Amino acid sequence: VVAILIALVSYVLAFLSEVTIPLLVAVLLTALLLPVTKRLHAWGVNRGLATAITVLGGLGVIAGVLYLIVSSIVSQASTLGTNVTTGFNQLAGWLQNGPLHVSATYFNADEWVTRITDWVRTSQDTITSYAGEITSSVGHFVAGFALALFALSYFLHNGREIFEFVMRFIPRKSRRRVDSAAQNGWHSLSSYVRATILVALADGVGVLIAALILGVPAAPALGTLVFIGAFVPIVGGFVSGFVAVVV
């Protein structure tokens, strides 16, 4: 029965992923930002104003991080381009002259232009479907982002009241135990988010220091990229770190 219930809940969550994922993101952000809202409220700031300051401040931090990455890459685009070209030429030379003996035609620019042109000519339907999927995905992302912000504002402002409303669906004799378990779970989630930030900060600072010592271009952008990637479980740190190593 428990297994069937878990499977059913998983199916519903997956089926409604366009709603459940933004809500889960809002819950994680609430665990991160709620101490800020509580601190502002303790200082005498109105709860609504404290919530607005927290949400807008969080958006400002995200925008600042993205600006740091983009501006750092743009300001050193020529150096990055030169490094990438040099690295590609070195890799191509090794593939041709090393143990693999890859044919030089694979690195001929004219040959690649011909192949790409032929592929585009014969894949119009595929490209059109991909374009439609990308447009739809962008729309879903924007809607999910708006829903996450909406839910985050309510969770920060009336999170406890919302939970007490949900508790009405729990049998009265079990509410105290459920509330205690939920409080413990919330504290664990908050600790997990803080620990994730510390791990991401350690990853980003480590890459930044190594990049500065080696004189790698766009070192702040690489460090910031690794910091952001560390928030994606399992693969985020590896993928962003791989990018930094390649650069």
Side-chain angles (χ1 to χ4, degrees), residues 20-122:
T20 55
I21 290 178
L23 291 179
L24 291 175
V25 171
V27 169
L28 291 174
L29 292 176
T30 301
L32 173 64
L33 298 176
L34 186 59
V36 178
T37 303
K38 288 184 175 181
R39 176 62 61 182
L40 291 174
H41 187 58
W43 289 344
V45 180
N46 178 271
R47 181 179 291 273
L49 181 59
T51 300
I53 292 174
T54 303
V55 174
L56 294 177
L59 289 176
V61 170
I62 294 175
V65 170
L66 293 177
Y67 174 78
L68 174 63
I69 295 176
V70 173
S71 61
S72 178
I73 293 176
V74 170
S75 63
Q76 301 189 35
S78 59
T79 305
L80 280 173
T82 301
N83 283 14
V84 171
T85 302
T86 303
F88 176 78
N89 291 334
Q90 291 176 347
L91 177 61
W94 181 83
L95 290 174
Q96 295 177 56
N97 304 318
L100 299 179
H101 297 292
V102 178
S103 175
T105 58
Y106 285 100
F107 306 98
N108 189 330
D110 295 333
E111 181 70 19
W112 277 105
V113 169
T114 303
R115 292 181 182 180
I116 293 174
T117 302
D118 293 339
W119 180 83
V120 170
R121 187 182 302 111
T122 58

Side-chain angles (χ1 to χ4, degrees), residues 1-6:
V1 171
V2 173
I4 293 175
L5 180 61
I6 293 175

Side-chain angles (χ1 to χ4, degrees), residues 134-160:
I134 292 174
T135 303
S136 176
S137 298
V138 171
H140 291 165
F141 173 80
V142 172
F145 182 75
L147 178 59
L149 283 182
F150 183 79
L152 173 63
S153 301
Y154 270 94
F155 291 162
L156 290 175
H157 189 269
N158 296 104
R160 181 62 188 178

